[in-house]
Every structure is written in C-alpha cells, then in structure tokens.
Amino acid sequence: MSLPPELRVLCFQLSSTPATDLPRLTPILLRHVLRCQIPLSSSAGNGAKADASASSVLIHKLKTQLSTLLNGKSPEGRFTAVVLIKAVVEVGGWEILQGAESWVRGLLSLFGKPDSPAAKELCIMALTKIYCMTQPYQTLVREITTPTLPAFITSCLNLISPKSSSKAVDVPSSLRETIFRSFCMLLPRHTTIYRPFISQIRQAIRPFLAPTSSDNQFVSQLLKESAQHLAVLLHRTAPKSSGGEEWGKAVRGLVQTVHETADHVFRAVIEDWESTASYSGRAVDVNQPLHGGGNAAEDLLPWTGIHSGVERITGLLELLTEYFKSETSTSVAIPLGSVFDMVTRMLSIAVPLLSAESSNGHGTARLHPAIDRDERDGLWSGMPQIYVAALQVINTIAERIEEAFLSISQGSLDQLAWVFPFGKHSPDFRLNAYKLTAKTLFYVGQSFDRAQVGRLSGIIRSCCRDLQIVDPVLSSLGAVDDPGRKGNGRLEGSNHNADTFLRTTIAVPLKETAKPPVVSEAGELLPLLLSHIPQQCLDLSLRSLVERTAVLTHNKGAMLASILNPFVGKNGKAMTSILPHLTREFGNDDMVEILLRPRLPLLPSASTRSSNEGRVKEDSEDEDMDIHTEPGSTEENMPLATTLLQDAATARPGVGPPTDTPDSKHPLPNFAGFGSHEGSLPMPLSMPISAPIPKTNSAPDYLASKNDHADINMDQDEESSGNESVHLTMQLDTDSDSDE
C-alpha cells in the first residue's frame, strides 16, 4: 500500500497555514481528505511494514492537528476542524470512529463557545453523522453514543429554547431546521434516550407546526416541514408497544382541532354539511372579531383574522398529511371515518362562481348576514388553499393504504367532481385532482355508468386543456391579434397601443423546458380516460377531444389506449382509428410494431435454409447406413434400393430442399396400389426386392391389376405419412389374399 501524496500535503498545510487562513483553504483540504480513503480506512497491520508505519504516523499527526484546532482559541480554526472531522469520519469509517470519542466531546464543548451559527450548524451535522455511523457497532454505541447523546440533545434544546422570549428572534431559522432534522434522524434510532426530552421537544416545535401571519416571526417552508416530521415521530418514544395508540390519539386530536378551527373560519357561511362521525360544532359569536387558538397550554399559538384562520387550517391539514406519509414503529388503526368526514366538510364550501360559469347546475354557498364582505372575500380567496390541502390528505391516504382505498374511492371522486368547478382555477388544485382521479379510475373506473362518467366531464376537459396549452405546436408565435379592429377594419375606440398593429410571424426557436407538474400529471391521467372508463358511457365529443389531445401532444400511452379501446357510436359505426398518427409518430417503437404486424410468420433466412439442407443430407446418409436386407435379396438390387430411399427422403415435404422435387431430379414410380402421395415411401425398408422396378411415371401392369382389388380411398393432399404406412399394410394384406 503506497501512501497517497495528499496525506502528506494535508498534514503540511494544516501545520504551516495560520488558523485564520484555514477557512479559505477548506475546499482544497476536503479534496485531499477524500483522496486519502485507503490509508484512513485501513488498519495498521495491513500492507508493508514501511508503508504501514509511515501511514500510522501521518494519520496520528492528522488527528492531533485536528484536535488542536478543535480545542483552540481561534473560531476560524474550530470551523475548519469541524468540517474536516466530519469528512475524515465519513472516509475512514470504523478505523476512525473507534478513536473519535475525544472529538465528540470537543464538538459538544463548541456549543458553549461564542462561535457563529454556521459553525454550530456544522457541529450538529458532524455529531449527527458520528451518532448514525456508530449505530451498527454496539461497542461504539456504549462508548460514544450513550454517554454523550443526552448532552447533545440538551445543548440543542438550549439553542432553540432560550429562557428569555426576547432572544427568540436571534435564533436563525436554518439553525432550528438543522436541529429538527438531526432529531428526526436520531430519534428513531435512540428512542429511550429521547424519551425524557419529549415535553421540551413539543414545546420547541409547537410554534412551527401551523404558523400564521399573526405570529411575530417568519417561518420558512423547510422549517415547517422539518417541525411537522419531528412531531409525527414523537409517538415512537412511547413505552413498550403503545406507540400505535399514541399515533391514533394524535390523529384524532388533530382532526378535532381542524373542526374547531373551521367553526370559526367558516362562520361566514351557513354550512349544509352534516357530520357522519358524531361531531357537533360549537356556537361562534359572530359579533366578536375572528380569532382562535391559544385556549390551553398544549394548543398552538393564537391567531386573528380570516387570512390567519385559513393558514391555520391549511397547516393542520398538512400536518395530518405528514402523519400518513411517515412510517410508524408499530401497526396503527387509521380513523378513516373521522378523517374523511372532516375532508368532506373542507370540500363542501362552494365558492361563488363567475356569471359565465354559474349556469352549470352548481349552487353557491348560503351566506351569513352578520358577516361583512371583507371577511367573506378573504374566505373565498383562501378556499383553494384549503381544497388543495384536503386533496393532499386523500391522495396520501390512497398511496398508503393502496388496495384498501377501493372502499372509499367512489365517494372521494364524487366529492371531487362536485368541488372541481370551484377550485379548477388553481394549478395546485388541478394537480391533486388529477392524481385522485387517476387513482380512483385505476380501482373502480371500469364499473362506472353513464351518469358517473358524465360527472367527470369537467375534469376531462380541464385535463385536455392543460395539455394543449403547453404544447408548442398549438401556440401561435409572433402573431398578435388586434382587439380593437372589427371585421370592417374600423377601430372600436381611439386609445390603442400602436405595437398591436404590427402583425409579424417570425419563426422563434423554441427551447425544450421542463413541463409543469400539473401538465405531467395530466399526461398520466389521459391514457386512463380511454383504458379505465367504459367507452360506451363516454360522449362522442369527449372521446374526440381526448383523441385529438393525445395526437397533438404526442402522448403514446393515450394513443395506444385509444386504439386498443375503440369507440362505437350509437349508430353502430366505429370511430376512425388514430393508428396512422401513432405509426407516424412512433414508427420505430416495438409496441407499435406489434400492433401493425401481430402475426407475421417466421421466414427462414438463406443461412438457415442452407443449414437445414445440410442436416437433411446427413439424415439421408444415416438412413442409407441403417438399411438391412433379407438373405433372399440379390447383390445387384442393393443400389436400386438405396437410390429409392434417397429419392424418397429427398422428396419428403418440409425436409428436402424445395427445388429437389421428384419430378425434376429423381422421378419416382407411381405406386397406385400403395397410395398416390408423392412423398410416401414405396415399400418397407426390410422388404426384399426380387426384380428391378422401372423408372416410369405410369404404374406397371401387374401393380395396376392388383389395384383393382384394393378398396382403399386415398387423399393425395391431406393424408400424412403415418396414414400411408397403414394403407401400405392394408394393401399388402389384400395382395396376399388375392395370391392365395
């Protein structure tokens, strides 16, 4: 094992560079560490003695330098030491971990020093990595993790939960997020160690589970997601096998909280929804300003205003979604009844539609006369967010329970079809609607009747519209329509933009861009509209729209589904197939090739035919060698018998070459008494030959006379060689009877 030069360079740079300049060289030092994997991860006994001795010296020197920088007084040196220690541990593995206890204690002491938040974040990452890597080794867990992990948890909680409330703003959001993600990684591995700190962790993450604009701090999306994930994992710390009960209790309590918040947020609407899970709403004082939360110590922070109320409901629904996304330590019982009862309530609020859309049979919500217009408008503007969060809950449950979603899929799709006109203007709503529709069609789509398919017309048209908008072929390039010009060329008004009169069609090169998520989901739903919906229940206009969208957007799956599921109209005529369009777009595809040529016979190539001919010749030679004659046969008759056998093998259908027919090379006599098939053998192989047989196309006289006594009907085209042997035996018996 030769030592890499990077190890010497690394030790030299750490010893010769001032501590204040080390952060600038950190990327170079990290690159050197990554190239020293072999000496860092190898034991001292491996390799040659000289190399092993030099390697152990340099590695010991590197460890000493890192320990000196970690315990030094320079913040820059400590920062560099934290980064390099994490890299050395990752590269070295067990060989470095077994002596990393001093590094762990040095990293823990860094929390009490006035270092930058970035250095403390890196310290948390390094310690988390060390604790995760020691998990497979019980000895290292006893020596390193168990004694030091409680101190690590206490130090992290002290960073994000200061005693003075005025210092809460000073904690960076990234530091909180790093701590929460560290706890998410370590808590499932060390549940007993985290159990005494559960109450403090709940208190630390409570302000970030469902933040609102009423709070005095900004909460990023990543921080909220990490806090929600950590809140879901807390049930694993329950003693013994009570984790499932804790999970179910938390879900039911969360559903109750959503209902209580909705009682305040939806007070501007007189709801027609009735609970099927025995929930009774509380009376809300409409004369008081809209507010909620903060009634108990374990509740979330209080909120005020309609916008904050919408944010609180959305955050609670997202937290409920996280409960179904994360895995549990034990089996749990999902309260589907109460969850879907709550989701149905969220999707039962009808947003007022535009005048052009109000004629489709959908009613609007009944308004409470005591609520002012500003609060109602705030509710209408926030309902799409609530729709999206509620659909995310359903989609997550469907992904988690898989086939068990069959029992509730029909009701979910009916509720979606009802609420779709109210939220279809939101791309996120359409994205989740397409996901839910695809899952439902996969399970129960084939059982739909005409009425159920008719309720999906809005979703189908919206899916096609989303696909057609982004297709570059369907968008006009460089052409600007003049809205102020009538058919006769006059202008409607006097104020117009002069640039709108310039109608130029310049070919602009289009660059391929990533499709939005809603378009990708619509593309996945489009084939299911043809393959998982009874086509006799689909209107002709919708079928034409789906096929046109599939052709224009080059959706191979939808085009295949259209061909495999043809549409037959009421008059009994089938709709024109789009197979030519599929062939033009995907002519080289294997599946298209199967559709075009489903039963093409196998045609042997020239090499295959030549090999078959050679094999037939070998078989003929073997047959010649196996011929045995009886003692009564004469010597001059043997060549003739051999010639007859060769001719018969050559003329056998499917064996000999197609050009070597009996008529062209070796014409056989027409044995009328034994059958007229050209490929049949004229006589048994062991039958003695007493006289030469003339090679003529007509049968001899003595065979013709015997043929008059044979009552055997032979079919020249349909009889097989096996039947010919039977006829041969019958003819011989007839001949023997006549001779007697």
Side-chain angles (χ1 to χ4, degrees):
M1 178 186 66
S2 60
L3 291 177
E6 289 82 6
L7 185 58
R8 295 188 179 90
V9 173
L10 181 62
C11 296
F12 175 76
Q13 288 182 341
L14 288 176
S15 60
S16 61
T17 305
T20 55
D21 296 337
L22 286 177
R24 178 174 53 85
L25 299 177
T26 300
I28 301 176
L29 299 177
L30 278 176
R31 187 162 55 247
H32 293 336
V33 171
L34 295 177
R35 294 176 180 175
C36 299
Q37 181 178 6
I38 296 178
L40 289 176
S41 59
S42 301
S43 59
N46 295 337
K49 294 183 178 180
D51 292 339
S53 177
S55 175
S56 60
V57 170
L58 291 176
I59 292 175
H60 178 72
K61 183 178 180 180
L62 176 62
K63 292 180 179 180
T64 304
Q65 291 174 343
L66 293 179
S67 301
T68 303
L69 292 174
L70 182 62
N71 298 321
K73 297 181 179 180
S74 174
E76 295 83 359
R78 292 194 294 266
F79 177 87
T80 306
V82 171
V83 176
L84 295 181
I85 285 174
K86 181 177 181 296
V88 169
V89 169
E90 290 178 349
V91 172
W94 184 83
E95 294 295 333
I96 301 297
L97 280 174
Q98 60 181 349
E101 182 180 359
S102 60
W103 284 351
V104 171
R105 299 190 182 279
L107 292 172
L108 290 174
S109 64
L110 192 142
F111 289 116
K113 298 178 181 179
D115 286 3
S116 62
K120 294 182 179 180
E121 290 180 23
L122 292 174
C123 182
I124 294 172
M125 295 179 186
L127 287 171
T128 304
K129 188 65 178 180
I130 293 175
Y131 290 142
C132 291
M133 292 183 66
T134 57
Q135 178 66 22
Y137 311 104
Q138 295 299 322
T139 304
L140 298 180
V141 169
R142 291 193 302 268
E143 295 177 356
I144 299 177
T145 304
T146 303
T148 60
L149 186 56
F152 170 73
I153 300 173
T154 304
S155 301
C156 292
L157 291 176
N158 291 335
L159 289 177
I160 60 178
S161 302
K163 297 180 181 180
S164 178
S165 60
S166 60
K167 294 183 180 180
V169 183
D170 298 336
V171 180
S173 177
S174 59
L175 180 59
R176 296 180 185 272
E177 178 188 349
T178 303
I179 293 175
F180 292 161
R181 294 191 181 277
S182 173
F183 286 179
C184 291
M185 295 182 65
L186 297 177
L187 188 145
R189 295 176 171 86
H190 308 282
T191 55
T192 56
I193 297 179
Y194 271 87
R195 188 176 300 163
F197 304 95
I198 291 301
S199 59
Q200 301 180 37
I201 294 175
R202 292 185 188 275
Q203 185 69 24
I205 64 177
R206 185 174 294 125
F208 312 103
L209 296 178
T212 64
S213 56
S214 300
D215 303 337
N216 296 325
Q217 58 181 347
F218 171 76
V219 179
S220 62
Q221 182 67 21
L222 294 177
L223 177 59
K224 181 175 66 174
E225 293 176 355
S226 60
Q228 291 175 350
H229 185 51
L230 179 58
V232 173
L233 294 178
L234 292 181
H235 76 277
R236 297 196 174 192
T237 59
K240 296 183 179 179
S241 60
S242 59
E245 299 177 1
E246 291 292 332
W247 186 91
K249 180 181 178 181
V251 171
R252 288 188 292 269
L254 188 56
V255 172
Q256 181 72 17
T257 305
V258 174
H259 277 301
E260 295 176 355
T261 307
D263 292 338
H264 295 272
V265 176
F266 295 161
R267 69 175 188 173
V269 180
I270 301 176
E271 299 182 66
D272 296 330
W273 165 82
E274 294 182 0
S275 176
T276 59
S278 67
Y279 172 78
S280 58
R282 299 180 181 179
V284 179
D285 189 2
V286 296
N287 297 321
Q288 297 292 332
L290 185 61
H291 67 282
N295 297 327
E298 63 275 4
D299 290 347
L300 301 179
L301 297 180
W303 57 270
T304 56
I306 183 62
H307 298 289
S308 298
V310 171
E311 292 173 350
R312 177 56 54 85
I313 291 181
T314 304
L316 292 174
L317 292 176
E318 292 175 353
L319 178 58
L320 182 61
T321 303
E322 188 65 31
Y323 269 95
F324 295 106
K325 282 183 180 179
S326 304
E327 298 180 355
T328 58
S329 58
T330 58
S331 59
V332 297
I334 303 177
L336 283 180
S338 59
V339 171
F340 272 87
D341 180 64
M342 179 268 299
V343 170
T344 303
R345 182 183 183 184
M346 299 297 107
L347 299 177
S348 299
I349 305 298
V351 179
L353 297 174
L354 300 177
S355 58
E357 301 177 353
S358 59
S359 61
N360 56 1
H362 286 80
T364 58
R366 294 184 298 165
L367 304 180
H368 199 289
I371 305 302
D372 57 358
R373 184 174 181 178
D374 294 337
E375 184 175 336
R376 293 200 302 267
D377 292 342
L379 178 61
W380 305 146
S381 63
M383 282 308 300
Q385 304 176 23
I386 298 178
Y387 291 157
V388 171
L391 292 179
Q392 287 178 351
V393 174
I394 302 178
N395 286 327
T396 306
I397 293 177
E399 293 176 359
R400 176 60 65 182
I401 63 179
E402 296 180 351
E403 287 81 3
F405 183 68
L406 177 64
S407 59
I408 55 179
S409 58
Q410 182 62 59
S412 302
L413 187 61
D414 292 341
Q415 188 65 34
L416 172 62
W418 183 88
V419 79
F420 188 81
F422 306 117
K424 64 181 180 180
H425 304 289
S426 172
D428 294 334
F429 175 83
R430 297 198 304 272
L431 170 66
N432 289 274
Y434 296 155
K435 287 183 179 180
L436 180 58
T437 305
K439 292 182 178 66
T440 306
L441 291 181
F442 181 78
Y443 290 116
V444 296
Q446 295 291 350
S447 63
F448 283 178
D449 54 14
R450 184 172 293 274
Q452 292 172 327
V453 174
R455 287 194 290 267
L456 299 179
S457 60
I459 300 177
I460 296 175
R461 296 182 187 277
S462 178
C463 175
C464 296
R465 190 181 304 112
D466 282 333
L467 290 172
Q468 292 178 2
I469 289 176
V470 298
D471 194 272
V473 179
L474 307 178
S475 58
S476 58
L477 301 178
V480 180
D481 294 334
D482 185 9
R485 187 178 297 274
K486 293 185 178 180
N488 55 5
R490 292 180 299 177
L491 299 178
E492 292 182 356
S494 58
N495 296 327
H496 295 278
N497 186 3
D499 294 335
T500 60
F501 297 100
L502 301 176
R503 295 177 54 85
T504 58
T505 57
I506 303 175
V508 180
L510 294 176
K511 297 181 179 180
E512 294 185 0
T513 57
K515 293 182 180 180
V518 63
V519 177
S520 301
E521 199 64 38
E524 296 180 2
L525 174 62
L526 193 65
L528 299 178
L529 299 177
L530 298 170
S531 61
H532 287 72
I533 290 181
Q535 296 304 297
Q536 65 272 14
C537 300
L538 200 63
D539 293 338
L540 178 60
S541 59
L542 289 178
R543 171 71 184 221
S544 303
L545 177 61
V546 173
E547 287 189 350
R548 183 166 59 251
T549 304
V551 173
L552 294 177
T553 57
H554 316 287
N555 194 318
K556 185 182 72 173
M559 297 171 74
L560 287 172
S562 175
I563 297 171
L564 297 177
N565 299 273
F567 182 84
V568 180
K570 297 180 180 178
N571 55 0
K573 295 183 179 180
M575 194 174 179
T576 305
S577 176
I578 61 174
L579 182 59
H581 299 281
L582 179 65
T583 307
R584 181 185 60 187
E585 294 292 338
F586 308 98
N588 298 327
D589 190 79
D590 295 338
M591 194 172 297
V592 178
E593 186 72 16
I594 294 174
L595 286 177
L596 292 176
R597 303 171 181 85
R599 292 182 178 88
L600 187 65
L602 179 62
L603 299 178
S605 59
S607 59
T608 306
R609 288 197 298 268
S610 62
S611 62
N612 290 337
E613 293 175 4
R615 193 178 300 111
V616 169
K617 292 180 180 179
E618 294 177 0
D619 295 342
S620 301
E621 294 176 359
D622 295 340
E623 292 178 1
D624 296 342
M625 296 176 63
D626 294 338
I627 294 177
H628 301 282
T629 60
E630 294 183 359
S633 62
T634 60
E635 185 176 357
E636 63 264 19
N637 292 332
M638 293 300 295
L640 178 59
T642 305
T643 304
L644 290 174
L645 291 174
Q646 291 178 351
D647 294 341
T650 306
R652 190 175 302 168
V655 179
T659 57
D660 299 340
T661 59
D663 297 335
S664 60
K665 287 189 177 182
H666 304 285
L668 290 176
N670 188 6
F671 294 95
F674 302 116
S676 59
H677 197 280
E678 297 179 358
S680 60
L681 292 176
M683 58 188 66
L685 296 181
S686 60
M687 175 177 154
I689 302 175
S690 59
I693 300 177
K695 296 184 178 180
T696 177
N697 293 332
S698 61
D701 296 336
Y702 69 93
L703 289 178
S705 61
K706 292 182 180 181
N707 187 31
D708 297 336
H709 301 283
D711 189 13
I712 303 174
N713 295 327
M714 305 293 292
D715 190 353
Q716 183 176 359
D717 297 329
E718 297 179 359
E719 292 293 337
S720 62
S721 60
N723 292 332
E724 293 165 3
S725 61
V726 177
H727 297 317
L728 177 62
T729 306
M730 295 174 63
Q731 184 61 48
L732 292 175
D733 294 340
T734 305
D735 295 342
S736 61
D737 294 339
S738 61
D739 293 339
E740 292 176 358

